[in-house]
Amino acid sequence: MNNISNVSIEKNLKENSNHGDYTFPVDIHQDYFPASSENEQHCIPCHWHPEVEILLVTKGSLHSQVNLKEYEILPGEAIFVNANQLHAGYPTSAGDTRLHSFIFDPSFLYGKESSLIFQKYVRPLLENSAFPACHLRPIDDDQTQFLKMINQCYYLQKNKPANWELELLSLMTGCWVKLWN
């Protein structure tokens, strides 16, 4: 479990961390915020990175800001943060807060920029200035399926059954399809 307050950030607010590696550009982990006190507040510092990020709240609640828009993410909800977007957050519940964090290079989905998948489905979303983030709640079938697939991704990475990387790719591609709907 990671304590997210320890994020290393450069002067231009770019996160100074690797999210996976060239062979598997995916970072899936659980973040933990203990209950805050008057003397100690926990937060996700303001930062950006070229990867896409999905934060799924599993316990507690999270106030998230992407660019100038604010979101309140409750248990069972998630936020999709598009690539290169300035974002920050802090827990808002009285007790502990836990998140499943998914940070991945979109190339995980398409391979090469010359691919049809990149040109037709990934690039338009990544370059859409009107789509810096998306609050995902179980309010319709697409969003409910998205949230279930994200939970499955965390389970796969944690338990690493046979062929988990291929199953993860399949689920993440399915999530991308849901973002289009």
Side-chain angles (χ1 to χ4, degrees):
M1 228 177 314
N2 293 343
N3 185 335
I4 196 73
S5 299
N6 297 329
V7 173
S8 172
I9 299 172
E10 297 175 8
K11 287 182 182 178
N12 66 357
L13 299 180
K14 182 178 187 276
E15 184 177 0
N16 192 19
S17 301
N18 292 324
H19 301 292
D21 60 32
Y22 179 75
T23 64
F24 197 72
V26 178
D27 178 15
I28 300 174
H29 58 273
Q30 186 175 69
D31 292 317
Y32 169 72
F33 297 93
S36 294
S37 67
E38 282 186 31
N39 299 332
E40 184 179 36
Q41 297 292 318
H42 303 282
C43 71
I44 301 169
C46 191
H47 69 287
W48 65 273
H49 40 73
E51 298 88 2
V52 168
E53 183 167 2
I54 301 166
L55 297 174
L56 173 68
V57 175
T58 59
K59 181 181 179 187
S61 57
L62 180 75
H63 179 89
S64 183
Q65 182 174 341
V66 180
N67 298 329
L68 298 175
K69 188 162 182 185
E70 298 185 20
Y71 305 86
E72 189 68 25
I73 315 300
L74 302 175
E77 298 179 354
I79 187 163
F80 168 89
V81 180
N82 210 342
N84 301 310
Q85 302 301 310
L86 197 58
H87 58 286
Y90 58 87
T92 55
S93 56
D96 297 347
T97 298
R98 294 178 191 263
L99 313 170
H100 292 325
S101 295
F102 304 83
I103 306 171
F104 66 97
D105 188 314
S107 67
F108 180 64
L109 302 175
Y110 63 79
K112 296 184 178 186
E113 287 187 0
S114 60
S115 75
L116 172 76
I117 300 300
F118 175 72
Q119 298 297 328
K120 190 171 180 180
Y121 299 105
V122 178
R123 180 186 211 165
L125 234 165
L126 292 177
E127 295 179 356
N128 184 347
S129 61
F131 192 71
C134 180
H135 186 174
L136 298 149
R137 295 169 275 208
I139 57 175
D140 62 35
D141 287 342
D142 284 331
Q143 290 189 42
T144 300
Q145 286 300 316
F146 185 101
L147 294 165
K148 286 180 182 178
M149 288 187 286
I150 289 299
N151 268 316
Q152 288 176 294
C153 289
Y154 180 75
Y155 171 84
L156 285 171
Q157 189 278 333
K158 183 178 178 186
N159 296 294
K160 294 184 173 55
N163 304 320
W164 74 274
E165 297 93 343
L166 282 173
E167 289 187 48
L168 183 71
L169 175 58
S170 175
L171 285 168
M172 294 305 292
T173 303
C175 287
W176 203 266
V177 168
K178 297 297 180 196
L179 290 172
W180 272 92
N181 292 341

